[in-house]
Amino acid sequence: MTPASEPYRDSSGRALTDYPRPSVAVDTAVLTVTEGGIAVVLVESEGDAALPGTFLHESEALADAVLRSLREKAGIEGLAPRQLHVFDRPGRDSRGWVLSVAHRVVVPERMLRLDDAHARVTPLAEALARPLAYDHDEIIRRAAESLRTDYRDSPDPERLMAEPFTLRELQQVHEAVAGARLPRDAFRRAMEPRLRATGELTSGTRGKPARLFRMPKASQR
Amino acid sequence: MTPASEPYRDSSGRALTDYPRPSVAVDTAVLTVTEGGIAVVLVESEGDAALPGTFLHESEALADAVLRSLREKAGIEGLAPRQLHVFDRPGRDSRGWVLSVAHRVVVPERMLRLDDAHARVTPLAEALARPLAYDHDEIIRRAAESLRTDYRDSPDPERLMAEPFTLRELQQVHEAVAGARLPRDAFRRAMEPRLRATGELTSGTRGKPARLFRMPKASQR
DNA sequence: TTCTTTTAGCGCAGAAGCGCGGTAAAGGAG
DNA sequence: CTCCTTTACCGCGCTTCTGCGCTAAAAGAA
C-alpha cells in the first residue's frame, strides 16, 4: 500500500478523491425463523419502515459496517453477513448518489434481543405488505429466497436449532423456512445420512420417543 | 428527488459528500466458450494482466459503467452484465480506498472483435495460472462457476449458439462449459423438451442427418 | 455398386427415488 | 389397568430415471 505521504496520482496528476464518488451504504435483512415462518427485523423510522443500515465508514469492510449497524440499531452480535446485491438505480435515494450493498444475516429467534424499542421482528408476508423505504422489499425478497435455497438440501445450514434435536423438529424448521409442508419420508431420507445420531432418545413426550441428533463435527456438507 | 438547489443536510448540517466515500470500480469477466472450454478476456496492462474495468462515473448505473468499459477497452457492444460480488478488502488497491463490483458478461466467440491489441481471449486454466491484478482471479472463478451453474439444467441460456443447431452441437457447447463429458442420453432427455424442433434435418454431413432445433419463442424456461 | 464408417435416435432392463400403509412404543384418558 | 391417541420408523410396491445396446440413415471408400 502506498504510504499516506505519497498519495497516488493518475496521468493527469489527480488523486482518486478528485473524482466524484458515491456514498456507499449497507442495508441488512436480519432474518429469523419462527413457528409461523420466516420473519425479518424492521426498524420504524420517521417515514416507512426500513431495514437496519448505515453508511460505510472510512476504510471499513462491508461486513464490519453490517455488524456495526446491527450492534447499534438492534443489539445483535456475532454474525456472518452474506452479501446479496448492490442497488444502484440513480435517484433511488433522495438524499443524493447512494449505492446500497444489501446483506443477509440469519439469527436464531432465541438469540434476538432487540434492545431498541423501534426495531421489531415482522413476519415476512406482513413486512412485504407494508410500504418500505428504498429497495428494501426487493432486499427482503432476495434474502428470503437465498435462505430457502440454502435450506432446500442441507440440514439447518444456518444452525438455527439448539442441539440435540429430533428429525421432526428439524423438519418443522425446514417447513417454516420453505413456507410449505414437506414430504415426511423424503425429508428423513435426505437429512438423516447428513446428521450424527447421539444414540439418545427423547423422554417425557407423547408418542414413541424420537432419536436425538446433532450436526456432524466439521462441515455438515 | 431533492432538487440540486436544496441539497440534503443531515442532523449535523452536513451533506453526504462531507463524509468520506470510497471510489467505486467495476471489473468484468468477459467470458466466451471456445472448442476447448471457457475463455476470458484479459487486458495486458503495465503490471499483471487484468480484467477490463473502470471507475464509476457520476450518477452512472453499474451496468452502464460495465458496458462503457467494454466498449472502450475491447470494442464489445450490447450485453447484459450480471453482478457477481463486491470486493472490499481494505488495502486491496494500492491507489487508495477502492471498492470493486465484479460483473460477468458472456459473448459468443464469433461476436468477439477485439479491436484493442492488448486485450486477448485466454483459456480459463491459463488465465488462472497467471499472476492477475487485485482479486481478478477470484472474479474469474466466480464468473466461471456462475456460467457452469446456468448451463447445468437449461439449454444454452446465454444464447451462445447460432440457430438452428443439432442436439450434438448443443451438447458440445455444454461440455465445453462444464469442462467434462456429459452422458448423451440424459442430456438429450433433459434438453429436447425445452427446444423447438424445426422439422428440418442437417445435410452434407457424414452419418445420419440430425434434426435441427431452435430456442422456444419466449422464455426458454 | 457394395461395404464400411459415422452418427442419430429409440427400446429396454436395472437402479434409484417416492409415498403409502403397517407396526412399534410411549403417554394420557377413563 | 385398559384402551386410545400420538408419534417414530420401516417394508413394499410403484414410478421415474439412467445407461447400454440396437437399429436406422446417410456419406465415403473400394
Side-chain angles (χ1 to χ4, degrees):
Chain A
M1 210 169 157
T2 307
S5 55
E6 299 175 28
Y8 166 85
R9 300 281 165 179
D10 66 12
S11 53
S12 33
R14 290 180 177 147
L16 289 184
T17 50
D18 292 330
Y19 292 95
R21 286 155 292 140
S23 301
V24 174
V26 293
D27 289 306
T28 307
V30 180
L31 300 183
T32 190
V33 176
T34 69
E35 205 174 329
I38 299 175
V40 58
V41 173
L42 291 185
V43 177
E44 309 288 341
S45 54
E46 296 125 43
D48 299 333
L51 298 177
T54 187
F55 283 103
L56 192 60
H57 287 185
E58 180 146 27
S59 296
E60 184 182 38
L62 291 166
D64 292 333
V66 168
L67 296 177
R68 176 170 55 77
S69 75
L70 296 183
R71 213 180 310 122
E72 290 172 0
K73 296 215 185 180
I76 302 168
E77 295 269 4
L79 302 169
R82 174 187 300 199
Q83 216 186 83
L84 292 177
H85 193 76
V86 184
F87 290 88
D88 65 332
R89 187 167 47 78
R92 55 178 288 283
D93 192 319
S94 61
R95 293 172 297 183
W97 185 23
V98 180
L99 302 187
S100 168
V101 186
H103 287 76
R104 181 203 88 179
V105 303
V106 185
V107 201
E109 194 181 10
R110 64 185 185 283
M111 298 293 177
L112 263 187
R113 293 280 172 270
L114 297 183
D115 51 6
D116 192 330
H118 59 266
R120 289 189 45 205
V121 176
T122 312
L124 189 61
E126 188 184 323
L128 291 174
R130 297 183 54 177
L132 295 173
Y134 311 110
D135 321 276
H136 289 187
D137 55 337
E138 176 68 17
I139 296 177
I140 293 172
R141 255 185 287 270
R142 280 181 188 256
E145 189 190 320
S146 83
L147 188 66
R148 289 190 166 134
T149 302
D150 291 351
Y151 271 73
R152 187 122 44 214
D153 46 25
S154 196
D156 192 27
E158 292 295 330
R159 303 276 188 151
L160 287 168
M161 310 198 63
E163 298 186 351
F165 50 82
T166 68
L167 274 172
R168 161 161 279 257
E169 289 162 352
L170 182 68
Q171 179 167 355
Q172 284 167 343
V173 168
H174 278 250
E175 288 179 343
V177 170
R181 298 298 307 276
L182 298 175
R184 193 166 57 102
D185 285 12
F187 184 81
R188 171 192 307 282
R189 280 192 273 249
M191 297 303 170
E192 191 178 327
R194 312 171 122 200
L195 298 174
R196 189 161 54 92
T198 63
E200 316 234 308
L201 300 177
T202 52
S203 68
T205 64
R206 257 174 99 104
K208 178 173 173 179
R211 292 191 295 164
L212 288 167
F213 295 88
R214 293 179 178 277
M215 289 296 174
K217 353 227 146 189
S219 93
Q220 73 231 31
R221 244 289 98 181
Chain B
M1 208 171 158
T2 306
S5 53
E6 300 173 28
Y8 166 85
R9 300 281 165 181
D10 66 12
S11 53
S12 34
R14 290 181 177 145
L16 289 184
T17 49
D18 291 330
Y19 291 95
R21 287 155 292 139
S23 301
V24 174
V26 292
D27 290 306
T28 308
V30 179
L31 300 185
T32 191
V33 176
T34 69
E35 205 174 332
I38 299 175
V40 58
V41 173
L42 291 184
V43 177
E44 309 288 342
S45 53
E46 295 124 43
D48 298 334
L51 298 177
T54 187
F55 282 104
L56 192 60
H57 287 185
E58 181 146 27
S59 296
E60 184 182 39
L62 290 166
D64 293 333
V66 168
L67 295 177
R68 176 170 55 77
S69 76
L70 296 183
R71 214 179 309 121
E72 290 172 0
K73 296 214 184 180
I76 301 168
E77 295 270 4
L79 302 168
R82 173 185 300 198
Q83 217 187 82
L84 292 177
H85 193 76
V86 183
F87 290 88
D88 65 332
R89 187 167 47 77
R92 55 177 289 285
D93 192 317
S94 61
R95 292 170 297 182
W97 185 24
V98 180
L99 302 187
S100 168
V101 185
H103 288 75
R104 180 202 90 178
V105 301
V106 186
V107 201
E109 195 182 9
R110 65 185 183 285
M111 298 292 177
L112 263 186
R113 294 280 172 270
L114 297 182
D115 51 7
D116 192 329
H118 60 266
R120 289 190 45 205
V121 176
T122 312
L124 189 61
E126 189 184 321
L128 290 174
R130 297 183 53 178
L132 295 174
Y134 311 110
D135 321 277
H136 288 187
D137 55 336
E138 178 68 16
I139 297 177
I140 293 173
R141 256 185 288 269
R142 281 181 187 255
E145 190 190 319
S146 81
L147 188 66
R148 289 190 166 136
T149 302
D150 291 350
Y151 271 73
R152 188 123 43 214
D153 45 24
S154 194
D156 192 26
E158 292 295 330
R159 303 275 187 151
L160 287 169
M161 307 197 65
E163 299 187 350
F165 50 82
T166 68
L167 274 172
R168 161 162 279 257
E169 288 161 353
L170 182 68
Q171 180 166 354
Q172 284 167 343
V173 168
H174 278 250
E175 288 180 342
V177 170
R181 297 299 307 274
L182 298 175
R184 192 168 58 102
D185 286 11
F187 184 81
R188 171 192 308 281
R189 280 190 275 248
M191 297 303 169
E192 191 178 328
R194 312 171 120 200
L195 299 174
R196 187 162 56 92
T198 63
E200 316 236 308
L201 301 176
T202 53
S203 68
T205 64
R206 251 173 104 102
K208 179 175 173 177
R211 291 192 295 162
L212 288 168
F213 294 88
R214 293 179 179 277
M215 289 295 173
K217 354 225 146 191
S219 91
Q220 74 232 32
R221 244 287 102 181

Short mmCIF file of all heavy atoms in Angstrom, two decimals, chain B residues 99-126:
data_model
loop_
_atom_site.label_atom_id
_atom_site.label_comp_id
_atom_site.label_asym_id
_atom_site.label_seq_id
_atom_site.Cartn_x
_atom_site.Cartn_y
_atom_site.Cartn_z
N LEU B 99 -13.62 0.20 -3.80
CA LEU B 99 -14.46 -0.99 -3.85
C LEU B 99 -14.60 -1.39 -5.31
O LEU B 99 -14.73 -0.55 -6.18
CB LEU B 99 -15.86 -0.70 -3.32
CG LEU B 99 -16.02 -0.18 -1.90
CD1 LEU B 99 -17.50 -0.14 -1.54
CD2 LEU B 99 -15.27 -1.08 -0.93
N SER B 100 -14.58 -2.69 -5.56
CA SER B 100 -14.78 -3.16 -6.93
C SER B 100 -16.02 -4.04 -7.00
O SER B 100 -16.15 -5.00 -6.24
CB SER B 100 -13.56 -3.96 -7.39
OG SER B 100 -13.87 -4.62 -8.59
N VAL B 101 -16.93 -3.68 -7.88
CA VAL B 101 -18.12 -4.50 -8.09
C VAL B 101 -17.85 -5.40 -9.30
O VAL B 101 -17.76 -4.91 -10.43
CB VAL B 101 -19.38 -3.65 -8.32
CG1 VAL B 101 -20.61 -4.53 -8.41
CG2 VAL B 101 -19.54 -2.63 -7.21
N ALA B 102 -17.71 -6.69 -9.03
CA ALA B 102 -17.37 -7.64 -10.10
C ALA B 102 -18.60 -7.99 -10.91
O ALA B 102 -19.69 -8.14 -10.36
CB ALA B 102 -16.77 -8.90 -9.50
N HIS B 103 -18.43 -8.10 -12.22
CA HIS B 103 -19.53 -8.46 -13.11
C HIS B 103 -19.10 -9.59 -14.05
O HIS B 103 -17.91 -9.87 -14.19
CB HIS B 103 -19.96 -7.26 -13.96
CG HIS B 103 -20.70 -6.21 -13.20
ND1 HIS B 103 -20.07 -5.35 -12.34
CD2 HIS B 103 -22.02 -5.89 -13.16
CE1 HIS B 103 -20.99 -4.54 -11.80
NE2 HIS B 103 -22.17 -4.84 -12.28
N ARG B 104 -20.11 -10.18 -14.67
CA ARG B 104 -19.87 -11.21 -15.67
C ARG B 104 -20.68 -10.88 -16.91
O ARG B 104 -21.85 -10.51 -16.80
CB ARG B 104 -20.32 -12.56 -15.12
CG ARG B 104 -20.13 -13.72 -16.08
CD ARG B 104 -21.06 -14.87 -15.72
NE ARG B 104 -22.33 -14.74 -16.41
CZ ARG B 104 -23.33 -15.63 -16.32
NH1 ARG B 104 -23.20 -16.69 -15.55
NH2 ARG B 104 -24.44 -15.46 -16.98
N VAL B 105 -20.08 -10.99 -18.08
CA VAL B 105 -20.86 -10.98 -19.32
C VAL B 105 -20.40 -12.18 -20.14
O VAL B 105 -19.29 -12.68 -19.98
CB VAL B 105 -20.69 -9.69 -20.14
CG1 VAL B 105 -21.10 -8.47 -19.35
CG2 VAL B 105 -19.28 -9.55 -20.65
N VAL B 106 -21.29 -12.66 -20.99
CA VAL B 106 -20.99 -13.82 -21.82
C VAL B 106 -21.22 -13.44 -23.28
O VAL B 106 -22.27 -12.87 -23.60
CB VAL B 106 -21.88 -15.02 -21.44
CG1 VAL B 106 -21.47 -16.26 -22.20
CG2 VAL B 106 -21.79 -15.27 -19.94
N VAL B 107 -20.25 -13.73 -24.12
CA VAL B 107 -20.30 -13.34 -25.52
C VAL B 107 -20.02 -14.55 -26.40
O VAL B 107 -19.09 -15.30 -26.13
CB VAL B 107 -19.21 -12.29 -25.85
CG1 VAL B 107 -19.56 -11.52 -27.11
CG2 VAL B 107 -18.98 -11.36 -24.69
N PRO B 108 -20.78 -14.74 -27.48
CA PRO B 108 -20.42 -15.79 -28.43
C PRO B 108 -19.04 -15.48 -29.03
O PRO B 108 -18.74 -14.31 -29.30
CB PRO B 108 -21.51 -15.69 -29.51
CG PRO B 108 -22.64 -14.96 -28.87
CD PRO B 108 -22.02 -14.04 -27.86
N GLU B 109 -18.27 -16.52 -29.25
CA GLU B 109 -16.91 -16.32 -29.74
C GLU B 109 -16.91 -15.51 -31.03
O GLU B 109 -16.08 -14.62 -31.24
CB GLU B 109 -16.25 -17.70 -29.96
CG GLU B 109 -14.75 -17.64 -30.11
CD GLU B 109 -14.16 -19.01 -30.36
OE1 GLU B 109 -14.93 -19.97 -30.59
OE2 GLU B 109 -12.92 -19.12 -30.34
N ARG B 110 -17.88 -15.80 -31.91
CA ARG B 110 -17.91 -15.12 -33.22
C ARG B 110 -18.23 -13.63 -33.10
O ARG B 110 -18.00 -12.87 -34.03
CB ARG B 110 -18.93 -15.80 -34.13
CG ARG B 110 -20.36 -15.68 -33.64
CD ARG B 110 -21.33 -16.47 -34.49
NE ARG B 110 -22.71 -16.26 -34.01
CZ ARG B 110 -23.23 -16.80 -32.91
NH1 ARG B 110 -22.51 -17.64 -32.18
NH2 ARG B 110 -24.47 -16.55 -32.56
N MET B 111 -18.77 -13.21 -31.95
CA MET B 111 -19.11 -11.80 -31.77
C MET B 111 -17.95 -11.01 -31.17
O MET B 111 -18.01 -9.79 -31.08
CB MET B 111 -20.32 -11.66 -30.83
CG MET B 111 -21.59 -12.29 -31.34
SD MET B 111 -22.25 -11.45 -32.79
CE MET B 111 -23.66 -12.50 -33.18
N LEU B 112 -16.92 -11.70 -30.73
CA LEU B 112 -15.79 -11.02 -30.08
C LEU B 112 -14.88 -10.44 -31.14
O LEU B 112 -14.19 -11.17 -31.85
CB LEU B 112 -15.00 -12.01 -29.22
CG LEU B 112 -15.30 -12.05 -27.73
CD1 LEU B 112 -14.31 -12.99 -27.05
CD2 LEU B 112 -15.23 -10.68 -27.11
N ARG B 113 -14.89 -9.14 -31.27
CA ARG B 113 -13.99 -8.45 -32.20
C ARG B 113 -13.12 -7.54 -31.36
O ARG B 113 -13.47 -6.40 -31.10
CB ARG B 113 -14.78 -7.62 -33.21
CG ARG B 113 -15.62 -8.43 -34.18
CD ARG B 113 -14.77 -9.00 -35.31
NE ARG B 113 -15.57 -9.92 -36.12
CZ ARG B 113 -15.66 -11.22 -35.86
NH1 ARG B 113 -15.01 -11.73 -34.82
NH2 ARG B 113 -16.39 -11.99 -36.63
N LEU B 114 -12.00 -8.09 -30.91
CA LEU B 114 -11.14 -7.30 -30.02
C LEU B 114 -10.31 -6.35 -30.87
O LEU B 114 -9.33 -6.74 -31.47
CB LEU B 114 -10.24 -8.23 -29.20
CG LEU B 114 -11.01 -9.17 -28.26
CD1 LEU B 114 -10.05 -10.01 -27.47
CD2 LEU B 114 -11.90 -8.36 -27.34
N ASP B 115 -10.77 -5.09 -30.92
CA ASP B 115 -10.04 -4.13 -31.74
C ASP B 115 -8.84 -3.56 -31.00
O ASP B 115 -8.00 -2.93 -31.57
CB ASP B 115 -10.97 -3.01 -32.22
CG ASP B 115 -11.75 -2.38 -31.07
OD1 ASP B 115 -11.46 -2.75 -29.92
OD2 ASP B 115 -12.62 -1.55 -31.33
N ASP B 116 -8.80 -3.82 -29.71
CA ASP B 116 -7.67 -3.31 -28.94
C ASP B 116 -6.61 -4.41 -28.88
O ASP B 116 -6.87 -5.53 -28.46
CB ASP B 116 -8.16 -2.96 -27.52
CG ASP B 116 -7.12 -2.16 -26.77
OD1 ASP B 116 -5.92 -2.36 -27.04
OD2 ASP B 116 -7.51 -1.34 -25.94
N ALA B 117 -5.40 -4.06 -29.30
CA ALA B 117 -4.36 -5.07 -29.47
C ALA B 117 -3.99 -5.77 -28.16
O ALA B 117 -3.61 -6.93 -28.18
CB ALA B 117 -3.12 -4.45 -30.09
N HIS B 118 -4.10 -5.09 -27.03
CA HIS B 118 -3.64 -5.74 -25.80
C HIS B 118 -4.76 -6.39 -25.00
O HIS B 118 -4.58 -6.72 -23.84
CB HIS B 118 -2.80 -4.78 -24.96
CG HIS B 118 -3.52 -3.55 -24.53
ND1 HIS B 118 -3.45 -2.38 -25.24
CD2 HIS B 118 -4.30 -3.30 -23.46
CE1 HIS B 118 -4.18 -1.47 -24.63
NE2 HIS B 118 -4.71 -2.00 -23.55
N ALA B 119 -5.93 -6.59 -25.63
CA ALA B 119 -6.97 -7.40 -25.00
C ALA B 119 -6.98 -8.77 -25.67
O ALA B 119 -7.07 -8.85 -26.90
CB ALA B 119 -8.33 -6.73 -25.13
N ARG B 120 -6.84 -9.84 -24.90
CA ARG B 120 -6.71 -11.16 -25.51
C ARG B 120 -7.64 -12.18 -24.86
O ARG B 120 -7.82 -12.18 -23.63
CB ARG B 120 -5.26 -11.65 -25.38
CG ARG B 120 -4.30 -10.88 -26.30
CD ARG B 120 -2.97 -11.56 -26.31
NE ARG B 120 -3.11 -13.01 -26.44
CZ ARG B 120 -2.21 -13.89 -26.03
NH1 ARG B 120 -1.13 -13.47 -25.42
NH2 ARG B 120 -2.42 -15.18 -26.19
N VAL B 121 -8.19 -13.06 -25.69
CA VAL B 121 -9.02 -14.16 -25.20
C VAL B 121 -8.10 -15.25 -24.68
O VAL B 121 -7.25 -15.75 -25.40
CB VAL B 121 -9.92 -14.71 -26.32
CG1 VAL B 121 -10.71 -15.91 -25.82
CG2 VAL B 121 -10.85 -13.63 -26.84
N THR B 122 -8.26 -15.59 -23.40
CA THR B 122 -7.33 -16.51 -22.74
C THR B 122 -8.12 -17.68 -22.14
O THR B 122 -9.10 -17.46 -21.44
CB THR B 122 -6.60 -15.77 -21.59
OG1 THR B 122 -6.11 -14.53 -22.08
CG2 THR B 122 -5.47 -16.60 -21.04
N PRO B 123 -7.69 -18.91 -22.43
CA PRO B 123 -8.39 -20.06 -21.82
C PRO B 123 -8.37 -19.96 -20.29
O PRO B 123 -7.40 -19.47 -19.71
CB PRO B 123 -7.57 -21.26 -22.30
CG PRO B 123 -6.91 -20.80 -23.55
CD PRO B 123 -6.65 -19.33 -23.36
N LEU B 124 -9.46 -20.44 -19.69
CA LEU B 124 -9.65 -20.29 -18.24
C LEU B 124 -8.45 -20.75 -17.42
O LEU B 124 -7.96 -20.01 -16.56
CB LEU B 124 -10.90 -21.09 -17.84
CG LEU B 124 -11.42 -20.92 -16.43
CD1 LEU B 124 -11.82 -19.48 -16.18
CD2 LEU B 124 -12.59 -21.84 -16.18
N ALA B 125 -7.98 -21.95 -17.69
CA ALA B 125 -6.89 -22.51 -16.88
C ALA B 125 -5.63 -21.65 -17.00
O ALA B 125 -4.95 -21.37 -16.01
CB ALA B 125 -6.59 -23.94 -17.32
N GLU B 126 -5.37 -21.21 -18.24
CA GLU B 126 -4.20 -20.37 -18.47
C GLU B 126 -4.33 -19.04 -17.73
O GLU B 126 -3.37 -18.55 -17.13
CB GLU B 126 -4.05 -20.14 -19.98
CG GLU B 126 -2.78 -19.46 -20.40
CD GLU B 126 -2.80 -19.20 -21.90
OE1 GLU B 126 -3.30 -20.07 -22.67
OE2 GLU B 126 -2.33 -18.13 -22.32
#
